[in-house]
C-alpha cells in the first residue's frame, strides 16, 4: 500500500540562525525510516515519466522500489548504472524542473522527493560500504578527458565502466571543477566530491592535476600519445562584468573569484593562507544559483548581504530552494534594481549606485524585459560588491587547437551528441552551452561517452 | 650522462640522470637547486618536464609550496628542456613565499602548473633596451637572453635599491651588448634610477625598436611615461594578484587602453603606454595587511620549530 501523504518527508536541516555562522552542510539528509517512508510514496508508474526528466536517465522507480524494501545497496547499484556522481546529483540537481516535475504524485500534492532519496542512497553507500568497486577488464583503448568537472567526470566514469583506460587532465590542483571551486561546502561538502572521485579512481580513471590542456599539452599531442578520442569538458571561463564605472575598485569581486577563494582555497578558515575580504555589507549582483552561493557565503563570513536583481522574484533563475535558504539566512533582496556605477573611497568600494526598473513585454529569452525608471537612481552603501552575472567560455583550448570551431561568443560548437568539428574530438558542458547546470553537463559527458564508445568500436 | 648534486650539508649525494626519459627517479616537482641571490630573493630550479617542454620567456607558472598553500604565480626565470627543469626566482613577501624558501634541495613543492600566459614577442626586434628593476630583473633576464641569442642588440638597464640587493649581474652581462647597473643609493654601479640611464641613452642617440620594462609597478609606470615622450614602443610585464591563473576567476583584471583585460590569458605582457598603472598599484595592495600579518605568523612558526 503506497504512502498517500500529499507532502514530501521534510528534509532535516540546520536552523538558519545557526547555519549562517558556519560552512557545514545545511541539509542533513534523511534517516533510514524517512527514506523508506518517502520511497513508499512512489506509485511505480509503468510509464516512468520521471526517467524522461533525468538528463542521465537514472532508473528512478527501480531504485526507489529498492529503497522502500530497505535494500539501500541495491538501490545504489541501480543508480550508478547510469549516474557516476549520485551524491553530487542528489544535492545539486534542480529536481523540481527535471525528474520531480514529471512525477505523477506532483499533480495533486508534492512529487516524490527523488533528489533527497538519491542523496540518501549515495550517502548510505559512502558510509556503510567501504568496498571499492571492481575495476572492469580493460579493452585496451585509451581516451583523454579535458577537465575534471561534472561533464568530464561523467564521461570518464561512463567510459571506464566500459573498460576504457581514461586519463582526465585537470588544470587546477584538485579535481572536481565547479564542484570544488564553485559550489560551497554548505551545499556540497568537499568530502562528498572527494569520495565520488575516489570511486572513479577505483574504476581505473587516472586523474592528472596541474595540466592545462592548450598550454601544458596540446589536443593534437594527446592523439600522438596514443589517445584515440578526446572529450573536452573545460567548463566556463572568465567572469562577465557589467562594464560600468568602478568595477575594478578594490573589493569588487567576480562570483568566481569570491567562491574560489572560499571553496577551493578555504579562505574562510582561520589558518588559510589565501585571504578574503570580510565585508560589513556586501552587495551581490545577479539572480542565479551562483549569486545565491556568493550571497550565502558572504553572509557566513559575517557580512550583511543585499542581492540586487533587475527583474522580480518570479523571474529569478536560481532554484527556489536556494532563494528560500538565502532569505532564511537573512540575505536581503532588492528586486527591479540594476547597478549603474560603483563608487569608491580611496580606491575601495564605498557604495553602489543603482536604478529602479519596471518590467515590460517579454524579450527573446521569453522573460519580461526590464526597463529603466528615469530619475530612480539611489545609492546603497556597501564595502564589497560581488558580480554574479555569468561567465564566458575559457579561450585556452579553442585558441590552441586548429580546426576546432567555436561560436562567436567563444563556446565550442558541438552537435547534440557532443561531436565537434575535429575528428574524434567531443565536447560538452559549459564549454559548449555556456553557463548551465551540473546535471546537464553530466548528461552531455555521458552521451559523448556513448558516442566515443561507438566511434572507437566501429573503427 | 649523470649529474651529481650535493646538498649544502653534504649529508648525501643525489644522482640524477639528466635524460628526460629517465627522470623518473626524481620526485614530481622536486627542487634540484636552490640559491639565495640576496637576503630576500631565492632562485630555485624545479623538476617539471612537462612545463619545461613548452615554457618560453615571458610566461609564468603557478605553484603551491605545500598542501595548505596559496596559489603563487611566478614568471619563468629560466628553463632547461634537456634536464626537464624550470627555474623560478622569488622575493619573500607573504606566507606562501616564506614557506617556499624553507624548502630545500630534494624536497618537492606540492603543485607546479604551466606554462601560462603569452610568451614575449621578440620577432623582428633588432635593437632593444631591457629594463629590470629589483627582483623584476629576474623576469627581465630570460627576455634579454632570448633576444641576445636571436642576434638582437640588447642594452640591459638594471636597477636595485642598494648593493646588497643586486642580482644576476653576471647573467645580464653575458646576455647583452651593454649592461648598465644602477643603485638608488649609489653603493654599487651608477648612482640613480633606471629611467635616468634610459633617458641618457635615448638622448645620446640610441634608437630602440622597443623597450621592455619589468620591475615594480612604479618603475614600469615611469619607464612608460618616459618612452611615451620619445615615442618608443614599450612592453611591460604585469604581475597582479591571481588565484587560478588559467582564465577562470577574473582576479587579475586590469585596464589597458580603457578596456578590462585579464593578465593570465591576455598577458602578462601589455603595451606600457596603455596600462592604467595607478589602478594596478591600488589593486596590488588589496591584501597587503593580510600578507604582512600572515608572513609574520609563518615566520614565528618556523622560529618555534627551530627552538
Amino acid at each position: 500500500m503506497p504512502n498517500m501523504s500529499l507532502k514530501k518527508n521534510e528534509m532535516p536541516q540546520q536552523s538558519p540562525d545557526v547555519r549562517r555562522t558556519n560552512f557545514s552542510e545545511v541539509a542533513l539528509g534523511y534517516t533510514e525510516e524517512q527514506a523508506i517512508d518517502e520511497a513508499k510514496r512512489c506509485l511505480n508508474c509503468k510509464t516512468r515519466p520521471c526517467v524522461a526528466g533525468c538528463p542521465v536517465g537514472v532508473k528512478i522507480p527501480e531504485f526507489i522500489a529498492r529503497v522502500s524494501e530497505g535494500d539501500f545497496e541495491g538501490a545504489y547499484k541501480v543508480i550508478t548504472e547510469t549516474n557516476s556522481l549520485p551524491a553530487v546529483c542528489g544535492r545539486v540537481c534542480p529536481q523540481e524542473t527535471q525528474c520531480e516535475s514529471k512525477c505523477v504524485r506532483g499533480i495533486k500534492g508534492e512529487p516524490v522527493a527523488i533528489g533527497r532519496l538519491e542523496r540518501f542512497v549515495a550517502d548510505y553507500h559512502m558510509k556503510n560500504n567501504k568496498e571499492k568497486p571492481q575495476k572492469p577488464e580493460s579493452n585496451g583503448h585509451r581516451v583523454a578527458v579535458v577537465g575534471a568537472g561534472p561533464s568530464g567526470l561523467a564521461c570518464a566514469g561512463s567510459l571506464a565502466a566500459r573498460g576504457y583506460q581514461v586519463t582526465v587532465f585537470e588544470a587546477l590542483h584538485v579535481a572536481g571543477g565547479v564542484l570544488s571551486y564553485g559550489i560551497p561546502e554548505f551545499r556540497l561538502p568537499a568530502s562528498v566530491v572527494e569520495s565520488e572521485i575516489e570511486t572513479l579512481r577505483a574504476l581505473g580513471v587516472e586523474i592528472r592535476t596541474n595540466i592545462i590542456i592548450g598550454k601544458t599539452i596540446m589536443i593534437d599531442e594527446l592523439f600522438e600519445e596514443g589517445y584515440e578520442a578526446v572529450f573536452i569538458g573545460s567548463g566556463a571561463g572568465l567572469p562577465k562584468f557589467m562594464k560600468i564605472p568602478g568595477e575594478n575598485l578594490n573589493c569588487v569581486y567576480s562570483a568566481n573569484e569570491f567562491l574560489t577563494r572560499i571553496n577551493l582555497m578555504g579562505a574562510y578558515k582561520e589558518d588559510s593562507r589565501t585571504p578574503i575580504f570580510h565585508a560589513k555589507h556586501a552587495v551581490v549582483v545577479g539572480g542565479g544559483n551562483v549569486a545565491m552561493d556568493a550571497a550565502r557565503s558572504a553572509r557566513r563570513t559575517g557580512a550583511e548581504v543585499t542581492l540586487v536583481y533587475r527583474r522580480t522574484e518570479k523571474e529569478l533563475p536560481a532554484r527556489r530552494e536556494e532563494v528560500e535558504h538565502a532569505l532564511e539566512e537573512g540575505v536581503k533582496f532588492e528586486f527591479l534594481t540594476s547597478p549603474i556605477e560603483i563608487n569608491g573611497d580611496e580606491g575601495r568600494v564605498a557604495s553602489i549606485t543603482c536604478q529602479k526598473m519596471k518590467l515590460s513585454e517579454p524579450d527573446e529569452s521569453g522573460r519580461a524585459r526590464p526597463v529603466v525608471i528615469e530619475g530612480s537612481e539611489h545609492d546603497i552603501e556597501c564595502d564589497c560588491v560581488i558580480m554574479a552575472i555569468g561567465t564566458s567560455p575559457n579561450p585556452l583550448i579553442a585558441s590552441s587547437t586548429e580546426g576546432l570551431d567555436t561560436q562567436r561568443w567563444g563556446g565550442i560548437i558541438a552537435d547534440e551528441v557532443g561531436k565537434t568539428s575535429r575528428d574524434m574530438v567531443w565536447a560538452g558542458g559549459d564549454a559548449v552551452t555556456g553557463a548551465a547546470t551540473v546535471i546537464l553537463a553530466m548528461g552531455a559527458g555521458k552521451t559523448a561517452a556513448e558516442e566515443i564508445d561507438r566511434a572507437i568500436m566501429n573503427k | 650522462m649523470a649529474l651529481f648534486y650535493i646538498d649544502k650539508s653534504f649529508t648525501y649525494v643525489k644522482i640524477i640522470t639528466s635524460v628526460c626519459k629517465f627522470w623518473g627517479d626524481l620526485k614530481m616537482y622536486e627542487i634540484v637547486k636552490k640559491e639565495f641571490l640576496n637576503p630576500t630573493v631565492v632562485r630555485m630550479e624545479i623538476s617539471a618536464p612537462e612545463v619545461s617542454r613548452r615554457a618560453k620567456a615571458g610566461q609564468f607558472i603557478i605553484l603551491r609550496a605545500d598542501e595548505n598553500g596559496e596559489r603563487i604565480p611566478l614568471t619563468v626565470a629560466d628553463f632547461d628542456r634537456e634536464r626537464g627543469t624550470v627555474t623560478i626566482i622569488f622575493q619573500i613577501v607573504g606566507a606562501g613565499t616564506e614557506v617556499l624558501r624553507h624548502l630545500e634541495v630534494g624536497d618537492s613543492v606540492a603543485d607546479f602548473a604551466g606554462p601560462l600566459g603569452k610568451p614575449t614577442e621578440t620577432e623582428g626586434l633588432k635593437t632593444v633596451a631591457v629594463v629590470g628593476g629589483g627582483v623584476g630583473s629576474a623576469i627581465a633576464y630570460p627576455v634579454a637572453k632570448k633576444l641576445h641569442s636571436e642576434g638582437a642588440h640588447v642594452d640591459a638597464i638594471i636597477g636595485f635599491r642598494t648593493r646588497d640587493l643586486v642580482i644576476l649581474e653576471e647573467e645580464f652581462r653575458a646576455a647583452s651588448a651593454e649592461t648598465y647597473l644602477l643603485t638608488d643609493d649609489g653603493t654599487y654601479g651608477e648612482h640613480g634610477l633606471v629611467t635616468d640611464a634610459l633617458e641618457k641613452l635615448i638622448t645620446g642617440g640610441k634608437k630602440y625598436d622597443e623597450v621592455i620594462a619589468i620591475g615594480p609597478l612604479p618603475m614600469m609606470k615611469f619607464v612608460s611615461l618616459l618612452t611615451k615622450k620619445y615615442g618608443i614602443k614599450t612592453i611591460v610585464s604585469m604581475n597582479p594578484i591571481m588565484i587560478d591563473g588559467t582564465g577562470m576567476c577574473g582576479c587579475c583584471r586590469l585596464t589597458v587602453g580603457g578596456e578590462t583585460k585579464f593578465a593570465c590569458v591576455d598577458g602578462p605582457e601589455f603595451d606600457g603606454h596603455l596600462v592604467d598603472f595607478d589602478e594596478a598599484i591600488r589593486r596590488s595592495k588589496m591584501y597587503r595587511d593580510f600578507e604582512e600579518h600572515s608572513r609574520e605568523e609563518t615566520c614565528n612558526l618556523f622560529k618555534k620549530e627551530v627552538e
Side-chain angles (χ1 to χ4, degrees):
Chain A
M1 182 59 198
N3 168 0
M4 292 313 289
S5 163
L6 293 181
K7 286 201 166 289
K8 290 176 177 177
N9 275 271
E10 246 178 71
M11 181 59 123
Q13 54 187 36
Q14 284 195 69
S15 86
D17 286 343
V18 175
R19 71 184 194 235
R20 72 170 176 232
T21 62
N22 69 48
F23 274 83
S24 309
E25 195 169 14
V26 169
L28 303 171
Y30 279 167
T31 60
E32 291 183 21
E33 294 71 34
Q34 285 171 316
I36 292 172
D37 190 58
E38 183 63 30
K40 287 188 171 153
R41 295 185 62 228
C42 176
L43 303 176
N44 207 352
C45 314
K46 288 280 160 295
T47 51
R48 305 157 90 230
C50 49
V51 180
C54 176
V56 297
V58 169
K59 295 174 182 163
I60 294 164
E62 285 91 328
F63 100 74
I64 292 181
R66 298 276 201 303
V67 175
S68 72
E69 294 156 9
D71 176 12
F72 307 133
E73 273 304 314
Y76 182 79
K77 286 205 181 75
V78 173
I79 296 174
T80 48
E81 275 175 41
T82 58
N83 186 351
S84 325
L85 310 168
V88 171
C89 292
R91 286 172 166 82
V92 305
C93 271
Q95 291 98 7
E96 63 280 4
T97 59
Q98 296 180 345
C99 53
E100 292 182 17
S101 75
K102 315 271 191 214
C103 177
V104 171
R105 293 297 305 265
I107 298 169
K108 191 174 169 229
E110 288 182 348
V112 176
I114 301 169
R116 294 173 188 175
L117 288 173
E118 183 181 32
R119 170 187 161 154
F120 167 79
V121 169
D123 288 0
Y124 178 90
H125 173 82
M126 237 185 273
K127 202 168 137 216
N128 296 294
N129 193 324
K130 302 287 173 206
E131 238 175 83
K132 286 194 171 159
Q134 282 281 310
K135 189 177 161 183
E137 200 179 316
S138 168
N139 68 7
H141 296 282
R142 295 169 71 206
V143 177
V145 169
V146 182
S151 71
L153 292 177
C155 184
S158 193
L159 286 167
R162 290 174 160 86
Y164 287 87
Q165 272 177 266
V166 185
T167 309
V168 183
F169 297 91
E170 168 57 45
L172 294 177
H173 57 274
V174 287
V178 74
L179 308 176
S180 294
Y181 73 74
I183 302 178
E185 181 77 13
F186 56 81
R187 264 206 316 131
L188 179 63
S191 59
V192 171
V193 180
E194 278 160 27
S195 164
E196 300 264 51
I197 289 168
E198 271 318 303
T199 306
L200 292 178
R201 285 209 173 96
L203 280 172
V205 174
E206 184 198 5
I207 299 177
R208 296 189 56 198
T209 51
N210 295 328
I211 300 212
I212 305 107
I213 298 296
K215 283 286 177 188
T216 317
I217 301 176
M218 303 295 148
I219 296 274
D220 291 307
E221 288 177 315
L222 293 173
F223 288 106
E224 287 163 24
E225 282 181 29
Y227 294 101
E228 292 166 67
V230 175
F231 175 78
I232 304 171
S234 50
L238 287 162
K240 286 184 186 155
F241 288 91
M242 293 184 74
K243 297 193 160 81
I244 59 174
E247 275 182 310
N248 289 352
L249 284 167
N250 289 9
C251 303
V252 178
Y253 287 95
S254 73
N256 266 11
E257 182 191 345
F258 192 77
L259 291 170
T260 300
R261 283 178 181 272
I262 288 188
N263 300 321
L264 183 73
M265 308 308 295
Y268 65 91
K269 295 177 195 155
E270 277 280 312
D271 64 343
S272 172
R273 281 194 233 122
T274 301
I276 187 101
F277 179 65
H278 289 259
K280 287 192 185 70
H281 184 195
V283 169
V284 176
V285 182
N289 287 321
V290 174
M292 300 305 144
D293 285 344
R296 297 173 67 197
S297 296
R299 189 87 182 104
R300 282 161 171 76
T301 64
E304 292 295 320
V305 180
T306 305
L307 184 144
V308 300
Y309 177 58
R310 60 195 181 133
R311 294 185 170 94
T312 71
E313 184 165 4
K314 217 176 82 215
E315 286 85 18
L316 278 174
R319 292 182 69 189
R320 190 65 225 165
E321 185 184 309
E322 304 307 324
V323 176
E324 272 161 20
H325 279 157
L327 282 166
E328 286 168 11
E329 288 161 14
V331 173
K332 238 177 84 196
F333 285 69
E334 296 255 0
F335 295 109
L336 294 167
T337 303
S338 184
I340 47 175
E341 179 165 5
I342 304 168
N343 314 295
D345 180 20
E346 292 183 1
R348 284 182 179 263
V349 173
S351 69
I352 184 165
T353 306
C354 298
Q355 51 191 1
K356 294 303 280 182
M357 316 293 280
K358 62 178 183 224
L359 292 184
S360 80
E361 70 285 354
D363 62 10
E364 63 273 19
S365 75
R367 290 185 299 178
R369 195 165 55 88
V371 290
V372 175
I373 301 176
E374 293 301 334
S376 64
E377 293 83 4
H378 60 287
D379 284 2
I380 305 173
E381 262 185 51
C382 58
D383 55 355
C384 174
V385 172
I386 304 170
M387 289 289 175
I389 54 168
T391 54
S392 56
N394 194 303
L396 292 185
I397 292 176
S399 65
S400 66
T401 310
E402 236 176 272
L404 185 68
D405 293 345
T406 57
Q407 314 271 8
R408 203 173 327 156
W409 50 269
I412 296 171
I413 296 176
D415 67 13
E416 65 280 4
V417 295
K419 188 101 192 64
T420 68
S421 56
R422 278 285 304 263
D423 190 32
M424 297 309 275
V425 177
W426 282 259
D430 285 6
V432 171
T433 58
T437 61
V438 167
I439 187 67
L440 284 175
M442 286 181 58
K446 189 167 172 282
T447 305
E450 285 154 15
E451 292 300 313
I452 290 168
D453 179 36
R454 196 166 304 150
I456 291 178
M457 287 306 148
N458 291 342
K459 253 201 314 202
Chain B
M1 185 175 103
L3 296 168
F4 291 81
Y5 282 104
I6 305 172
D7 87 345
K8 276 189 186 136
S9 57
F10 291 92
T11 49
Y12 63 94
V13 180
K14 248 183 182 307
I15 301 167
I16 299 154
T17 53
S18 74
V19 183
C20 261
K21 268 188 222 161
F22 303 111
W23 209 238
D25 52 347
L26 262 189
K27 283 180 289 180
M28 187 110 107
Y29 316 137
E30 182 171 330
I31 298 162
V32 296
K33 215 171 175 185
K34 176 189 173 184
E35 184 186 355
F36 276 84
L37 297 182
N38 72 33
T40 63
V41 175
V42 184
R43 170 157 62 190
M44 271 183 186
E45 189 178 344
I46 294 177
S47 166
E50 271 164 332
V51 183
S52 165
R53 205 171 57 97
R54 288 205 165 264
K56 293 199 176 86
Q59 291 187 294
F60 65 97
I61 57 93
I62 294 250
L63 70 75
R64 290 199 317 148
D66 62 8
E67 278 307 324
N68 186 33
E70 60 192 300
R71 291 173 67 88
I72 308 170
L74 290 169
T75 308
V76 170
D78 208 348
F79 48 85
D80 185 330
R81 299 218 168 107
E82 205 169 292
R83 289 152 55 97
T85 60
V86 174
T87 299
I88 51 166
I89 296 178
F90 60 92
Q91 185 156 30
I92 302 150
V93 284
T97 42
E98 182 65 32
V99 172
L100 186 58
R101 79 135 157 183
H102 280 88
L103 296 179
E104 300 298 338
V105 170
D107 292 339
S108 288
V109 296
D111 299 287
F112 196 89
L116 292 157
K118 294 180 175 162
T120 309
E121 284 172 27
T122 53
E123 220 182 285
L125 296 180
K126 292 197 174 58
T127 311
V128 185
V130 175
V131 185
V135 71
S137 306
I139 307 161
Y141 166 66
V143 177
K145 184 176 152 188
K146 178 160 193 267
L147 283 161
H148 184 71
S149 72
E150 287 169 358
H153 176 98
V154 176
D155 283 344
I157 304 161
I158 49 174
F160 304 90
R161 234 173 44 234
T162 189
R163 180 186 189 121
D164 291 346
L165 301 179
V166 172
I167 58 171
L168 302 176
E169 183 185 352
E170 284 318 307
E171 284 88 339
F172 270 106
R173 294 206 186 280
S176 64
E178 206 67 61
T179 290
Y180 303 87
L181 196 154
L182 303 97
T183 50
D184 295 3
D185 62 1
T187 45
Y188 191 62
E190 286 174 57
H191 187 177
L193 302 171
V194 288
T195 38
D196 303 334
L198 179 61
E199 184 155 29
K200 215 165 28 173
L201 284 163
I202 296 168
T203 51
K206 259 286 167 74
K207 294 261 178 283
Y208 294 114
D209 301 332
E210 196 170 293
V211 171
I212 299 175
I214 306 173
L217 289 166
M219 182 212 96
M220 294 196 285
K221 173 182 167 177
F222 285 106
V223 168
S224 298
L225 284 173
L226 174 74
T227 55
K228 198 168 183 178
K229 196 165 81 182
Y230 293 102
I232 307 166
K233 187 182 170 189
T234 298
I235 298 296
V236 294
S237 177
M238 303 300 282
N239 189 14
I241 303 171
M242 285 186 188
I243 310 283
D244 68 298
T246 64
M248 188 270 281
C249 84
C251 177
C252 65
R253 63 190 187 277
L254 61 161
T255 305
V256 182
E259 271 181 63
T260 292
K261 295 278 179 193
F262 299 96
C264 69
V265 290
D266 298 324
E269 297 188 349
F270 293 99
D271 182 338
H273 297 160
L274 299 177
V275 170
D276 182 340
F277 282 104
D278 294 336
E279 180 187 277
I281 290 169
R282 178 164 50 65
R283 287 183 65 81
S284 74
K285 292 179 181 159
M286 169 88 192
Y287 298 105
R288 183 142 296 179
D289 293 347
F290 177 94
E291 277 162 14
E292 279 168 10
H293 177 73
S294 71
R295 190 189 150 207
E296 242 165 62
E297 274 189 353
T298 314
C299 285
N300 290 337
L301 227 68
F302 280 116
K303 274 184 210 137
K304 269 184 203 139
E305 276 173 18
V306 173
E307 287 161 13

